[in-house]
Amino acid sequence: MKLSAESPLNVPGIRPVLLAQFFSAFADNALLFATLAMLKNAAYPDWSQPILQMVFVIAYILLAPFVGHFADRFSKGRVMMVANSIKLIGVIAIGVNISPFLGYSLVGIGAAAYSPAKYGILGELLPTKQLVKGNGLMESSTIAAILFGSVSGGILADWHVSTALLVCAIIYALAVMANVMIPKLDAARPHGNYHPKRLVDQFFQACQTLWQDKICRFSLIGTSMFWGAGVTLRFLLVIWVPVALGIQDNTTPTTLNAMVAIGIVVGAFVAAKWVSLQHAGKALPAGIAVGLLVVVFALETHLLPAYGLLVLVGIFGGFFVVPLNALLQERGQQTVGTGSAIAVQNLGENSVMLAMLVLYSVAIWLGATAVVTGVAFGILFALAITCLWLWQLKRKA
């Protein structure tokens, strides 16, 4: 297929970035379901499963003041390589029977370092007019990896958990190799005082700058709520399947998760085509639709309709989040630097994830059913996005 001259894929360095992101995200998602299967085989209680993700997001929160500067201090392709190497060490730690929570926390450290670099490098490689398209490609690569990684993790875990972990290690190694292929760019901010206290002060100054900016605040709130909702839905699927469908395997939840991934690929593509940075607010009604569809899904008791509903959840979700990501990158590059802006975004997203996971674990511990939890979660998400939409309309009026 002949590419347009305006295609981001024609920009040198973009293809290895997307390839590295695919491998890294593939292994991330396969590893989650393989480790969940390990917990299930060891008879851990249902409420303990989200704790696995909690140790992951806590790494993001604790490292938030430092990873943005790390991404801006060095060439971002090399930062991505180091981060994937840390993930590789984490999966090896899980595979040799060290605590899965400790090993997964190492993967979280690698992911925290990786995120500002993987998004920040788009702003350095691409002109502003191609950022939405570039983000669409990044999200499509990520979600395609979620699709194949989740399903592969579930299938392999049903067959043999140790084999699943070995595959994850191999894929992380491939991600490191792809990172080596990324051209070495100049560091965004190679000079400066990198004393830890100064970095913390600078990070909170960046937080203040971005949250005081109405456009950045709008993007930060929207993306944080979306990814907080996404991680909660993933764990909800794990307990919803045996209750609603009577299926006990590891493959079915991962297949349902893949349906969301398919939808997000479509939604990200549509957003890249139809939504500009100047009209990113048009994506907000799609977020409301996500919440309402989750309510309908939670009440479903048949597999095929559930597949269709989750594809729709993904389509509206992809359409919702891609313009907001691009908006923050463009605005962040003008203010505090792309790496620092993404680090601030990660703090917001992972703080919301942690809060939602805690609420989810408490609800399950108190005996709430998967159906009740799903309905409540969908309603609350739809109401939150509605409030954000009304605030954005009032701001523009």
Side-chain angles (χ1 to χ4, degrees):
M1 181 178 66
K2 185 177 180 180
L3 296 172
S4 166
E6 295 294 318
S7 172
L9 290 173
N10 284 330
V11 177
I14 284 294
R15 295 189 187 199
V17 167
L18 296 175
L19 185 63
Q21 171 60 12
F22 176 83
F23 285 138
S24 186
F26 181 105
D28 286 348
N29 286 274
L31 178 61
L32 173 62
F33 288 103
T35 312
L36 285 174
M38 176 184 289
L39 297 183
K40 183 177 177 181
N41 291 346
Y44 282 79
D46 287 342
W47 59 262
S48 71
Q49 293 178 357
I51 294 176
L52 190 70
Q53 192 71 35
M54 288 182 200
V55 300
F56 185 91
V57 301
I58 285 172
Y60 269 91
I61 294 170
L62 294 179
L63 294 176
F66 310 105
V67 291
H69 292 278
F70 182 58
D72 287 339
R73 172 66 176 82
F74 302 99
S75 175
K76 288 183 172 59
R78 300 303 177 262
V79 171
M80 294 165 70
M81 181 182 67
V82 171
N84 276 322
S85 298
I86 296 172
K87 291 182 181 183
L88 177 59
I89 294 170
V91 71
I92 291 172
I94 296 172
V96 297
N97 293 323
I98 295 176
S99 167
F101 300 101
L102 178 60
Y104 208 67
S105 68
L106 285 175
V107 177
I109 291 171
Y114 187 79
S115 185
K118 78 175 181 182
Y119 282 114
I121 201 170
L122 294 180
E124 295 180 3
L125 289 172
L126 298 174
T128 299
K129 64 181 180 180
Q130 290 188 351
L131 264 181
V132 172
K133 290 183 179 180
N135 272 273
L137 289 171
M138 178 66 81
E139 293 298 335
S140 297
S141 174
T142 302
I143 303 307
I146 293 173
L147 167 63
F148 293 110
S150 298
V151 174
S152 298
I155 293 173
L156 289 170
D158 277 334
W159 179 43
H160 198 274
V161 172
S162 295
T163 300
L165 294 173
L166 175 61
V167 170
C168 291
I170 292 171
I171 300 300
Y172 277 133
L174 291 175
V176 172
M177 294 172 62
N179 290 142
V180 175
M181 298 166 58
I182 299 173
K184 186 175 181 180
L185 302 171
D186 291 335
R189 299 185 178 187
H191 306 293
N193 187 337
Y194 290 96
H195 188 277
K197 183 179 183 303
R198 182 173 177 82
L199 292 182
V200 172
D201 291 341
Q202 289 178 346
F203 175 75
F204 284 107
Q205 181 60 50
C207 288
Q208 185 178 11
T209 299
L210 293 177
W211 280 98
Q212 286 179 346
D213 185 292
K214 292 181 179 179
I215 294 175
C216 291
R217 183 165 66 242
F218 162 66
S219 174
L220 287 166
I221 293 172
T223 56
S224 295
M225 288 194 296
F226 175 79
W227 290 113
V231 74
T232 307
L233 178 61
R234 171 172 285 188
F235 283 93
L236 181 64
L237 287 174
V238 174
I239 64 167
W240 179 86
V241 166
V243 172
L245 304 179
I247 300 173
Q248 301 294 329
D249 63 12
N250 296 300
T251 302
T252 301
T254 61
T255 305
L256 288 167
N257 185 74
M259 295 302 102
V260 181
I262 291 172
I264 292 182
V265 171
V266 175
F269 176 80
V270 174
K273 289 286 187 181
W274 288 0
V275 183
S276 65
L277 285 176
Q278 292 76 19
H279 300 95
K282 289 182 177 180
L284 289 179
I288 300 171
V290 169
L292 298 177
L293 285 166
V294 169
V295 172
V296 177
F297 166 78
L299 298 171
E300 184 55 61
T301 57
H302 297 87
L303 185 58
L304 289 180
Y307 281 142
L309 286 168
L310 289 178
V311 170
L312 289 175
V313 167
I315 290 173
F316 284 107
F319 190 86
F320 171 77
V321 77
V322 165
L324 297 184
N325 272 336
L327 188 67
L328 182 65
Q329 288 165 26
E330 192 270 341
R331 192 72 170 182
Q333 190 175 27
Q334 296 174 2
T335 53
V336 299
T338 307
S340 295
I342 299 303
V344 173
Q345 182 185 34
N346 283 339
L347 176 64
E349 290 177 359
N350 286 279
S351 296
V352 173
M353 285 183 193
L354 183 61
M356 287 190 175
L357 287 169
V358 169
L359 290 174
Y360 171 83
S361 293
V362 170
I364 299 302
W365 179 66
L366 291 175
T369 65
V371 173
V372 170
T373 304
V375 169
F377 158 73
I379 292 173
L380 289 174
F381 183 77
L383 288 174
I385 301 301
T386 299
C387 291
L388 182 63
W389 187 30
L390 293 175
W391 172 74
Q392 191 260 349
L393 292 174
K394 182 180 178 180
R395 180 178 62 83
K396 282 196 167 186

